[in-house]
Amino acid sequence: MKQYKVGIIGCTGMVGQRFVTLMENHPWFQLTAVAASARSTGKTYGEAVEGRWAMTRPIPQEARGLTVLDADADAEKMAEQVDFCFCAVDMKKEEIRALEERYAKLECPIVSNNSAHRWTEDVPMVVPEINAEHLAVIEAQRNRLGTKRGFIAVKSNCSLQSYVPALHPLLKYGLDQVLVCTYQAISGAGKTFARWPEMVDNCIPYIGGEEEKSEQEPLKLWGKVDHGKIVNAAGPSITAQCFRVACQDGHMAAVFMKFKEGRTPSLEQIKSDWAAFRGPAQELNLPSAPKQFLHYFEEPDRPQTRLDRNLENGMAVSLGRLRTDSQYDYKFVGLSHNTLRGAAGGAVLLAELLCARGYIDAK
């Protein structure tokens, strides 16, 4: 496989740091440039994250000595040095949209962890196992932007990974209604317990904008490309409540589902479909792809956050407690690692898919 020079925009934040660790020893990607806000510009990466490094692994040596560029002022310099960039900035949405389009127009593809472009009709929002065919819309986006190489692709909201992959292979049975309650770790807010002591022994029943994302984004994932834009699926209907809980990493979901009359699969069929579920990420043997995407646990007390969030390097989804329900047809529990499968790792997997499919060429 070709080797690609990679930049990280927003390198000092929680997700940016995770991107940095995932570039260490990656077989395809070489971290070449990093960028952040003006307050970090000119520092080495090690200096910029001193006292702020939140990962359990030490700062990779290949990143430590890189000079941090200004994500905005040095955009042209950044774009010249790399084949593509990951983006995980903390800015207002309109500023993010403008920044990402600027890089795309500089012919630098952007693989974004941000939500700003998730609802742009010609920007693919892709989970590689679910909707890789949406990458076809990139041609229309390039036409709109007037670019040859440049484009923007995004990953979906981190909490979706804990339940949408489990629902996806069941759509064929006429999945009609879904109720989901998510219990989301504090790293999803870019925090650690040291920085957010109020979360110790606490649960907050509100995360701004999260319930709307949980209810609407799956419909874009399940939509289709039509005349240069992505048209959302009409259903299933989803209602959600989202809680912030006292876990460092790992988003859990309690899911209830109802099927159209006469089409309800058996418990055994659902488990069989989950075990057999594969996508392009597995078929292409992408470096970050889990061998088994969905893991089902028969034990009544699994999955557990501490035990199972790192399954297959944090890129698999753990499922359990599938059973009948008195109001819906079935209910189950899902778990995913929010900064790996849900954020940086999911974006790296998307970038691998884009490279494998020829959307990103090494210069």
Side-chain angles (χ1 to χ4, degrees):
M1 189 68 185
K2 298 175 183 177
Q3 295 296 305
Y4 298 82
K5 296 178 180 179
V6 176
I8 299 172
I9 306 167
C11 61
T12 59
M14 179 76 77
V15 176
Q17 292 179 24
R18 183 66 79 179
F19 274 126
V20 168
T21 65
L22 292 174
M23 291 302 96
E24 186 177 23
N25 300 319
H26 192 283
W28 297 1
F29 301 154
Q30 175 65 48
L31 181 60
T32 304
V34 291
S37 63
R39 67 176 176 270
S40 297
T41 303
K43 298 178 181 178
T44 66
Y45 186 69
E47 292 169 343
V49 296
E50 187 175 0
R52 302 172 56 194
W53 185 251
M55 302 292 105
T56 55
R57 295 163 55 181
I59 303 170
Q61 282 301 122
E62 65 181 2
R64 184 179 290 276
L66 291 175
T67 300
V68 180
L69 302 177
D70 186 304
D72 186 17
D74 295 326
E76 292 186 11
K77 184 176 180 180
M78 185 82 166
E80 289 173 357
Q81 295 184 38
V82 302
D83 296 314
F84 73 93
C85 282
F86 294 111
C87 190
V89 294
D90 184 11
M91 301 163 61
K92 294 179 180 178
K93 285 191 177 183
E94 59 270 21
E95 295 173 343
I96 296 173
R97 282 192 287 266
L99 183 71
E100 292 182 343
E101 285 206 0
R102 183 181 175 194
Y103 275 86
K105 289 177 179 178
L106 288 169
E107 300 293 357
C108 179
I110 292 294
V111 181
S112 180
N113 185 72
N114 302 303
S115 65
H117 270 296
R118 288 181 191 159
W119 290 109
T120 304
E121 290 181 326
D122 59 8
V123 171
M125 179 177 71
V126 173
V127 177
E129 290 89 349
I130 291 176
N131 62 327
E133 68 276 7
H134 285 193
L135 297 182
V137 83
I138 288 173
E139 181 181 357
Q141 185 193 149
R142 282 173 167 161
N143 289 337
R144 173 175 64 85
L145 296 175
T147 62
K148 293 181 179 179
R149 288 187 81 252
F151 65 88
I152 303 159
V154 301
K155 54 157 293 298
S156 61
N157 189 42
C158 55
S159 66
L160 268 62
Q161 314 305 316
S162 59
Y163 61 96
V164 169
L167 298 176
H168 183 70
L170 308 182
L171 294 177
K172 62 189 176 186
Y173 300 114
L175 184 62
D176 190 37
Q177 297 178 39
V178 176
L179 183 154
V180 58
C181 295
T182 60
Y183 306 90
Q184 302 183 206
I186 64 171
S187 57
K191 304 286 189 180
T192 63
F193 286 112
R195 296 183 202 164
W196 200 4
E198 296 87 355
M199 274 307 303
V200 176
D201 192 32
N202 199 14
C203 177
I204 299 175
Y206 173 74
I207 306 172
E210 199 74 8
E211 289 164 1
E212 293 82 1
K213 295 174 187 176
S214 299
E215 294 170 354
Q216 295 299 317
E217 286 188 19
L219 301 181
K220 183 172 182 177
L221 291 176
W222 291 326
K224 63 180 181 179
V225 176
D226 186 17
H227 294 89
K229 63 181 182 180
I230 298 168
V231 179
N232 289 358
S237 65
I238 302 173
T239 184
Q241 284 204 108
C242 301
F243 297 76
R244 188 72 71 193
V245 296
C247 295
Q248 180 58 54
D249 295 307
H251 287 355
M252 185 171 282
V255 187
F256 302 76
M257 52 188 181
K258 181 176 288 188
F259 296 86
K260 292 178 181 177
E261 188 172 353
R263 299 182 63 182
T264 305
S266 66
L267 290 167
E268 292 72 22
Q269 185 62 59
I270 292 173
K271 291 179 184 179
S272 176
D273 287 341
W274 284 346
F277 183 32
R278 291 168 53 84
Q282 287 71 38
E283 292 160 4
L284 292 167
N285 197 28
L286 299 178
S288 298
K291 300 300 181 187
Q292 179 71 38
F293 185 27
L294 305 180
H295 288 250
Y296 186 80
F297 290 89
E298 293 288 353
E299 298 90 334
D301 60 350
R302 302 280 290 277
Q304 292 183 28
T305 302
R306 290 181 64 181
L307 293 179
D308 303 312
R309 62 190 170 197
N310 290 314
L311 192 63
E312 296 216 37
N313 297 314
M315 292 298 290
V317 177
S318 302
L319 306 171
R321 302 206 69 209
L322 177 66
R323 60 215 190 276
T324 57
D325 182 69
S326 60
Q327 296 182 23
Y328 288 74
D329 292 320
Y330 297 117
K331 51 192 172 186
F332 68 91
V333 172
L335 172 71
S336 62
H337 196 301
N338 57 296
T339 69
L340 288 169
R341 168 54 78 161
V348 171
L349 186 62
L350 172 54
E352 293 167 359
L353 176 66
L354 287 161
C355 291
R357 290 281 177 90
Y359 288 95
I360 300 176
D361 289 325
K363 293 179 182 175

